[in-house]
Amino acid sequence: MTTQIKKRPRVPVHGVLLLDKPVGFSSNDALIKAKRFMNALKAGHTGTLDPFATGLLPLCFGEATKFSQDLLEADKTYTTVVHLGMTTTTGDTEGEVVEQKAVNVSVAQIEQVLLQFTGPIQQVPPMYSALKRDGKPLYEYARAGVTLERDARDVIIHELALLAYDAPLLTLKVKCSKGTYVRVLGEDIGAALGCGAHLKELRRIQVGHLILEKSITLESLETLPEQERLTLLDPVDALLSSFPVVRLNDELATRFLHGQRLALGKEVVVLPAGWGRVRVYRDSDGQLLGSAQLQEYQILAPERLINTQ
């Protein structure tokens, strides 16, 4: 008779883990491994990295998952190696080579082209992407040999810096808005230079204010004792640190947690200037209560609430 090994019950874990995703892992694969190492009940990631890409993948656990959308909206920074003179079906190393051309471009030509792609630009999303059409990811159509029309999207390239050029390899630093495909950017740069290109390497080094230097690899995470793993978690409000703070007394905090809109004009509450998104704390113990919108006439409208039980 086979004895079944009992699985340890998962436990509530709350916070943000900065993971350095390895090459060859999908973002979901990396999340599943990290969730198992943390023995966590609930976890999610904050936007995918392609399997061939490496670098910063913030993972949200427990209550932090309520705020993962904020990092989806954040600017991202990458370093990338663009292989000039060779185009592939996917725009990266995972695809088949479509065309090869000689590379005869100078640093001056490269710098001129980079200027063309700095600032607000338009991109056509690649067929090999997770964008959906009629409920099916585009990459499924692409694998079936079907190419669909895609509308160009507005994105912003905040910074596009030349780090090194050793033909045919071009190393760049890219800081960009949400929705930017660095693969497409590399292909478009290659097309503008007249030789074509694909991405050889892609490494994400920053998401919003979160940086790669504070991340940990899956290998290192696995070797740590469980209690040490938990110490790596940033608090839930690490995802909200760019928003102004509102602190409420116990009575107002209770009403806020019940989802009530609060008129703070006559309350003794220090409010930030202007309107917009804020993070809300209970003043007596510093407990994060959630996020809210500070509206006209000093109305505080609850947005996402923390379970404080």
Side-chain angles (χ1 to χ4, degrees), residues 6-233:
K6 266 192 166 184
K7 288 185 178 179
R8 280 193 311 155
R10 297 291 175 97
V11 296
V13 172
H14 307 289
V16 182
L17 179 71
L18 303 186
L19 185 72
D20 184 352
K21 187 190 84 66
V23 69
F25 276 70
S26 72
S27 295
N28 199 52
D29 289 339
L31 171 67
I32 290 169
K33 268 190 171 290
K35 183 180 177 183
R36 178 163 55 83
F37 294 155
M38 304 298 285
N39 196 36
L41 268 175
K42 184 179 181 182
H45 60 68
T46 55
T48 58
L49 269 178
D50 290 336
F52 95 101
T54 66
L56 184 58
L57 182 67
L59 303 179
C60 296
F61 292 87
E63 291 296 295
T65 59
K66 294 177 179 177
F67 306 101
S68 59
Q69 181 67 30
D70 298 295
L71 287 190
L72 291 173
E73 306 287 325
D75 291 340
K76 317 288 194 303
T77 305
Y78 302 85
T79 56
T80 185
V81 177
V82 182
H83 189 148
L84 299 177
M86 185 184 295
T87 57
T88 70
T89 52
T90 58
D92 57 34
T93 57
E94 297 192 318
E96 297 177 3
V97 175
V98 175
E99 187 177 22
Q100 295 191 61
K101 290 185 178 180
V103 179
N104 296 302
V105 296
S106 66
V107 170
Q109 287 174 301
I110 291 168
E111 289 179 336
Q112 189 60 44
V113 165
L114 296 186
L115 286 175
Q116 297 174 26
F117 290 96
T118 304
I121 64 169
Q122 287 199 319
Q123 279 193 337
V124 177
M127 279 301 300
Y128 281 91
S129 69
L131 289 178
K132 291 188 176 179
R133 181 76 61 85
D134 297 328
K136 191 161 73 169
L138 289 183
Y139 63 76
E140 289 191 12
Y141 292 100
R143 287 170 182 167
V146 176
T147 300
L148 301 176
E149 288 293 320
R150 288 99 64 207
D151 293 331
R153 305 197 307 185
D154 295 320
V155 297
I156 302 173
I157 309 299
H158 300 291
E159 180 184 353
L160 185 54
L162 174 61
L163 300 182
Y165 178 48
D166 183 12
L169 302 181
L170 178 64
T171 305
L172 304 173
K173 179 182 177 184
V174 182
K175 182 178 180 182
C176 53
S177 67
K178 69 169 184 174
T180 302
Y181 287 93
V182 183
R183 276 183 293 144
V184 174
L185 180 64
E187 289 179 309
D188 289 347
I189 289 170
L193 289 168
C195 59
H198 74 279
L199 290 199
K200 186 174 188 294
E201 296 174 17
L202 181 63
R203 185 157 177 78
R204 189 156 68 187
I205 60 174
Q206 189 163 350
V207 178
H209 63 282
L210 304 176
I211 57 175
L212 180 63
E213 286 79 0
K214 294 187 176 181
S215 66
I216 187 169
T217 65
L218 282 172
E219 286 182 350
S220 297
L221 187 64
E222 185 176 14
T223 61
L224 289 176
E226 187 170 314
Q227 287 309 308
E228 284 190 39
R229 293 173 189 166
L230 295 176
T231 66
L232 296 172
L233 291 173

Side-chain angles (χ1 to χ4, degrees), residues 253-285:
T254 299
R255 290 170 56 195
F256 179 83
L257 287 172
H258 287 156
Q260 295 181 22
R261 289 160 55 90
L262 304 178
L264 300 179
K266 295 183 180 180
E267 302 288 348
V268 185
V269 177
V270 178
L271 296 176
W275 307 330
R277 196 147 186 242
V278 296
R279 48 187 164 134
V280 182
Y281 295 82
R282 185 163 48 216
D283 197 31
S284 60
D285 60 2

